[in-house]
Amino acid sequence: MMRTRPLKVALLGCGVVGSEVARIMTTHADDLAARIGAPVELAGVAVRRPSKVREGIPAELVTTDATALVKRGDIDVVVEVIGGIEPARSLITTAFEHGASVVSANKALLAQDGAALHAAAEEHDADLYYEAAVAGAIPLIRPLRESLAGDKVNRVLGIVNGTTNFILDKMDSTGAGYQEALDEATALGYAEADPTADVEGFDAAAKAAILAGIAFHTRVRLDDVYREGMTEVTAADFASAKNMGCTIKLLAICERAEDGGSVTARVHPAMIPLSHPLASVRGAYNAVFVESDAAGQLMFYGPGAGGAPTASAVLGDLVAVCRNRLNGATGPGESAYAALPVSGMGEVVTRYHISLDVADKPGVLAQVATVFAEHGVSIDTVRQQGKDGEASLVVVTHRASDASLSGTVEALRKLDTVRGVASIMRVEGE
């Protein structure tokens, strides 16, 4: 039997995502009520510019006083889509204190203060759901947190930022340079006027922290994630990748150490074989590859950003939280029982592609090979091209630690025959 008293929802933010949440709540009201078991009512919308016309939202619901809205006491669920650290953090904790559960899309806040927010939710017997914080419409957090709860996840490897994937895909498919591809992404609305958060990897790093924490039942904060942007990727790097049967993606990689005693989380550009499923992810789409003991390899793919796709994830959480509310229960909270140490980048083991500018004369290859051997880094393949006294030397290693590779590169720079290190890129997905 359906309850007639509606569950009241406060919406914090009414931009691209928030306006879509409000629209879907209105146009799909009957379906949502049937799925939940009670009507849901938009009880208030907190915005910064109240004078802006918002189609489908009654003017009397609009307020600039977000704090007063979450303090009302009759609010069942607060949907936070304003982003940033403050005032979002204070508003969410205030919502918990006044009896509301929270649905959020705030990756930056969750990566920085997720543990504290989960603790506040538990203290006040409330839910904190955030499917929309990672990979837009793609169901990812709930499968990791619930569907794979009985399994052991070993690795999460993914493209979690649509802007960077669009840029790199354009560079790969058209031969465009970084700036040209960025300009096109900006013109099409895929890149912000200031794209720093995307192209320098901050956005992906926040998502990696969230994914690693859930996958490995360990608290992983944004500061624990190694981050490297993709602004230095060049057309020459793509040419080298193609020679290896690879392409280049900005990847978020979360994995257990081989002995299972620690975890790492990192974001950086990497070459990935064309045979890997992630290599075929084009445009602004996202995809995440999960490897676990029992389930094996799973891939989640779809639109990773945008108003409607992100709102879809928000509404999915809203339905789940409302159902919990009706049943007098809460869903899964933080699971950090494993408390594994988070290792630094120096402990990461992977393959490397190193491009060197060297003198074109006999003995250079032998000198370079000796340096690699002295640092315990095994060489897989070498390719050398020379002309007019200058040459390029491309070395692809077997698996090596980041620390040993760093020592190798430092020693290479000291050789008289090495003019410079043109590029270093990791090779993943094998």
Side-chain angles (χ1 to χ4, degrees):
M1 181 180 295
M2 182 177 295
R3 193 181 81 165
T4 56
R5 186 178 73 79
L7 292 159
K8 295 189 175 183
V9 177
L11 179 60
L12 308 183
C14 198
V16 173
V17 176
S19 60
E20 280 295 310
V21 171
R23 182 189 67 79
I24 295 171
M25 285 185 63
T26 302
T27 58
H28 295 178
D30 291 343
D31 284 341
L32 289 173
R35 294 166 190 171
I36 292 168
V40 286
E41 174 187 307
L42 190 58
V45 182
V47 300
R48 286 182 294 181
R49 295 185 297 275
S51 60
K52 181 180 178 181
V53 177
R54 294 172 173 84
E55 186 177 348
I57 299 177
E60 62 269 19
L61 294 184
V62 177
T63 178
T64 58
D65 194 343
T67 302
L69 178 59
V70 300
K71 281 184 173 180
R72 274 178 35 174
D74 64 336
I75 300 296
D76 293 287
V77 184
V78 170
V79 174
E80 182 271 309
V81 288
I82 57 178
I85 305 302
E86 287 292 354
R89 174 170 49 197
S90 297
L91 290 170
I92 289 174
T93 54
T94 300
F96 290 143
E97 291 165 0
H98 287 78
S101 289
V102 172
V103 172
S104 176
N106 196 330
K107 53 190 170 287
L109 178 58
L110 289 158
Q112 178 172 305
D113 290 319
L117 293 177
H118 274 293
E122 183 177 1
E123 178 184 355
H124 296 285
D125 199 24
D127 274 324
L128 173 62
Y129 275 48
Y130 42 90
E131 184 67 65
V134 180
I138 303 171
L140 182 59
I141 288 177
R142 192 171 289 120
L144 283 173
R145 190 163 66 171
E146 299 177 28
S147 302
L148 295 174
D151 204 345
K152 179 184 178 184
V153 176
N154 296 309
R155 196 175 198 220
V156 179
L157 173 77
I159 298 164
V160 294
N161 183 276
T163 299
T164 55
N165 199 59
F166 178 89
I167 293 169
L168 292 172
D169 184 36
K170 280 296 175 183
M171 293 176 70
D172 185 25
S173 61
T174 69
Y178 165 74
Q179 189 60 51
E180 183 183 351
L182 172 60
D183 290 344
E184 183 175 352
T186 304
L188 292 172
Y190 291 126
E192 301 286 347
D194 179 1
T196 302
D198 294 323
V199 300
E200 293 295 351
F202 291 101
D203 175 85
K207 295 169 181 176
I210 295 170
L211 291 175
I214 297 170
F216 306 132
H217 305 279
T218 292
R219 287 178 178 169
V220 180
R221 300 182 74 251
L222 181 58
D223 292 345
D224 296 322
V225 181
Y226 172 84
R227 177 194 55 79
E228 193 178 304
M230 43 78 71
T231 58
E232 301 300 319
V233 176
T234 66
D237 292 325
F238 274 102
S240 293
K242 286 180 179 179
N243 285 333
M244 290 180 58
C246 293
T247 188
I248 298 172
K249 299 293 187 182
L250 184 75
L251 298 178
I253 305 169
C254 314
E255 58 190 350
R256 294 180 188 268
E258 291 185 1
D259 64 5
S262 64
V263 299
T264 57
R266 51 195 164 105
V267 168
H268 53 72
M271 294 182 180
I272 189 165
L274 294 175
S275 58
H276 194 282
L278 291 179
S280 62
V281 178
R282 310 302 296 269
Y285 274 69
N286 284 191
V288 177
F289 202 71
V290 178
E291 301 174 9
S292 69
D293 276 359
Q297 297 178 331
L298 307 169
M299 183 164 156
F300 301 83
Y301 169 84
T310 306
S312 171
V314 170
L315 267 294
D317 279 350
L318 179 63
V319 168
V321 169
C322 286
R323 286 172 175 168
N324 291 342
R325 197 85 172 174
L326 286 180
N327 293 326
T330 56
E334 182 189 32
S335 175
Y337 73 91
L340 296 170
V342 182
S343 297
M345 191 63 187
E347 304 301 313
V348 170
V349 175
T350 189
R351 296 179 69 205
Y352 289 86
H353 176 283
I354 305 102
S355 180
L356 305 171
D357 295 327
V358 300
D360 187 14
K361 62 182 184 181
V364 173
L365 180 55
Q367 285 184 324
V368 169
T370 297
V371 170
F372 275 87
E374 289 174 347
H375 289 80
V377 179
S378 175
I379 293 175
D380 181 18
T381 61
V382 177
R383 187 175 70 255
Q384 184 173 4
Q385 293 178 323
K387 185 178 180 181
D388 298 330
E390 297 296 328
S392 63
L393 191 65
V394 175
V395 179
V396 180
T397 74
H398 288 290
R399 287 170 60 82
S401 72
D402 189 82
S404 62
L405 195 282
S406 296
T408 303
V409 171
E410 186 177 342
L412 287 170
R413 294 184 194 274
K414 296 177 181 178
L415 293 178
D416 292 339
T417 51
V418 174
R419 308 290 192 232
V421 180
S423 69
I424 304 170
M425 192 166 294
R426 297 167 184 87
V427 182
E428 301 287 348
E430 294 186 308

